[in-house]
Amino acid sequence: MSTPTDNATPTDDASPVDYAPLVPGTMTAVTARSYGGPEVLAVEEMPVPSPRPDEVLVAVRASSLNALDWHFLTGTPYLMRAMFGLRRPTRIVRGADVAGVVVAVGDDVARLRVGDAVFGEATGGGCGEFLTVKESHVAAIPDGVSFEAAGATPVAGLTALQGLRTHGRVQPGDRVLVNGAAGGVGTMAVQIAKALGAEVTAVCSTRNVDMARALGADEVLDYTRDDFAVGGARFDVMFDGVGNRHPRDCRSVLRDGGRYIAISGPKANRWIDPLPYLVRARLAFMRSDASFHQFTAAANVDDLTFLGELLASGRLVPQIDRVIGLDGVADGLAEIGTGHARAKIVVVP
Ligand SMILES: NC(=O)c1ccc[n+]([C@@H]2O[C@H](COP(=O)([O-])OP(=O)(O)OC[C@H]3O[C@@H](n4cnc5c(N)ncnc54)[C@H](OP(=O)(O)O)[C@@H]3O)[C@@H](O)[C@H]2O)c1
């Protein structure tokens, strides 16, 4: 593992990168040593991790909170504990998003060097001063893109991009419906669909209508007054970040050959939701002329690089509700847990 030797002052802009801090022995991080609500989170000192051969050590400059972090915090659905720790979480520092500076590299790392500004998705650790992440899960932050914008993007941006481009195969001129347009993923989905050349209808609550319009949505439906399934509008793609409707309603707004992209569903049953909804939807679409697509977003350099280009060109501007420190993570995650967080909450350690 190679480490840096200088300690110049960081700037707020990710470029140019002309510094690399000394790596200390310990760091401050937000930990959850058991499953539970925000009350199990603690801000504590712990050792700085060492990168494995295929990993880099990143000095975190910004991260952001995702619904994903709420699932890891609560260990719900319980089914996921089989993979991430049966009795307690195996990775104790929360936070999947990361933007920061590479300060050490594992022996097999070939593409990245100490001093590179990178952003991407880790299996945890974003809510700490340092984290280790696979080299293949981060990409360079383009010149002119801030750490905060880059740190707000990975999980939500990858989910929106892979849903719309990989699974939805959105083409210029397609009509796209985004349900849940005000959330972390939804605010990215509206902008990415526009960047792909689509005509976008966004669904959100009253307080978020102006934001959805400002993101570029051609039409905005306030779900407290308008029902997207009533009125006869037809779409090529429905990107569903909520999963609150009967699959029949979702099918009814799609043209023949349309694509239903499901990333979520009801969460009433803490054991298995949203699995039953996704199975029901898959079965319903099997008997139709539209297709059902459900996926779990995964980090890769190509998609992150594409997101970086969108950020650099201004076609993707992460909507940052607020910036918090590590001591604000518990409140931020509590808000995510309500299911009505607005856009992105960025964490700067
Ligand atoms: N499959 C994957 O790989 C993947 C990846 C990331 C996220 N997800 C899942 O996708 C979902 C969204 O994630 P996120 O990070 O964007 O969550 P989030 O930031 O917490 O956003 C949730 C949003 O849902 C909106 N919403 C709630 N009820 C609604 C309704 N009836 N109609 C329309 N919008 C409604 C809320 O807006 P209002 O306040 O306006 O209601 C809120 O902004 C979560 O369930 C998450 O677990 C899946």
Side-chain angles (χ1 to χ4, degrees):
M1 161 175 131
S2 62
T3 53
T5 49
D6 63 322
N7 191 19
T9 309
T11 66
D12 203 41
D13 196 319
S15 60
V17 178
D18 58 359
Y19 77 95
L22 283 171
V23 182
T26 61
M27 64 173 189
T28 309
V30 180
T31 60
R33 293 181 180 275
S34 59
Y35 292 120
E39 70 283 353
V40 306
L41 292 168
V43 178
E44 59 177 291
E45 284 294 303
M46 57 189 304
V48 170
S50 292
R52 296 195 173 106
D54 61 345
E55 291 179 336
V56 294
L57 177 67
V58 176
V60 180
R61 297 294 308 279
S63 179
S64 81
L65 303 180
N66 291 284
L68 181 72
D69 300 310
W70 176 258
H71 292 299
F72 280 118
L73 176 67
T74 55
T76 57
Y78 297 143
L79 207 58
M80 70 184 266
R81 297 188 186 191
M83 275 185 297
F84 301 106
L86 268 184
R87 293 167 64 83
R88 57 185 68 85
T90 46
R91 186 136 193 192
I92 62 170
V93 182
R94 298 277 60 85
D97 283 336
V98 58
V101 178
V102 175
V103 292
V105 299
D107 291 338
D108 297 343
V109 169
R111 186 173 49 89
L112 297 173
R113 287 176 312 172
V114 166
D116 287 348
V118 294
F119 75 126
E121 181 180 345
T123 52
C127 296
E129 292 176 314
F130 295 87
L131 69 67
T132 53
V133 58
K134 280 181 190 279
E135 179 190 29
S136 58
H137 287 190
V138 291
I141 301 176
D143 286 353
V145 176
S146 73
F147 284 113
E148 289 181 7
T153 299
V155 170
L158 287 166
T159 307
L161 177 64
Q162 291 170 8
L164 292 165
R165 192 172 68 160
T166 312
H167 299 277
R169 304 187 311 280
V170 170
Q171 299 295 320
D174 276 357
R175 295 196 69 202
V176 174
L177 177 70
V178 178
N179 190 31
V185 177
T187 48
M188 300 278 175
V190 170
Q191 297 180 78
I192 290 171
K194 288 301 297 177
L196 295 173
E199 187 187 315
V200 178
T201 298
V203 182
C204 61
S205 65
T206 314
R207 73 180 184 122
N208 292 317
V209 166
D210 288 345
M211 176 179 70
R213 232 175 244 128
L215 291 174
D218 299 282
E219 191 182 0
V220 182
L221 300 179
D222 173 350
Y223 68 74
T224 67
R225 293 180 209 163
D226 305 316
D227 182 343
F228 67 74
V230 172
R234 293 285 179 277
F235 299 89
D236 299 285
V237 172
M238 175 173 172
F239 183 93
D240 194 352
V242 190
N244 60 323
R245 299 297 294 262
H246 194 285
R248 190 176 48 235
D249 294 333
C250 304
R251 169 65 189 98
S252 74
V253 299
L254 287 169
R255 294 177 174 148
D256 286 353
R259 283 83 71 198
Y260 174 61
I261 314 298
I263 63 162
S264 190
K267 298 190 169 113
N269 183 320
R270 292 168 70 85
W271 281 90
I272 49 172
D273 270 347
L275 213 56
Y277 171 82
L278 296 172
V279 171
R280 259 200 324 277
R282 183 177 290 280
L283 291 173
F285 274 85
M286 278 170 77
R287 297 187 297 270
S288 92
D289 292 320
S291 54
F292 170 87
H293 304 261
Q294 186 263 322
F295 71 103
T296 300
N300 66 71
V301 175
D302 286 349
D303 284 347
L304 285 165
T305 302
F306 184 76
L307 289 169
E309 287 164 8
L310 291 181
L311 291 170
S313 67
R315 283 178 295 165
L316 179 62
V317 180
Q319 299 303 294
I320 297 177
D321 184 54
R322 61 184 189 277
V323 179
I324 58 174
L326 295 182
D327 56 358
V329 168
D331 285 347
L333 278 179
E335 193 174 326
I336 300 254
T338 66
H340 293 282
R342 178 191 265 175
K344 298 302 303 179
I345 300 172
V346 165
V347 182
V348 171

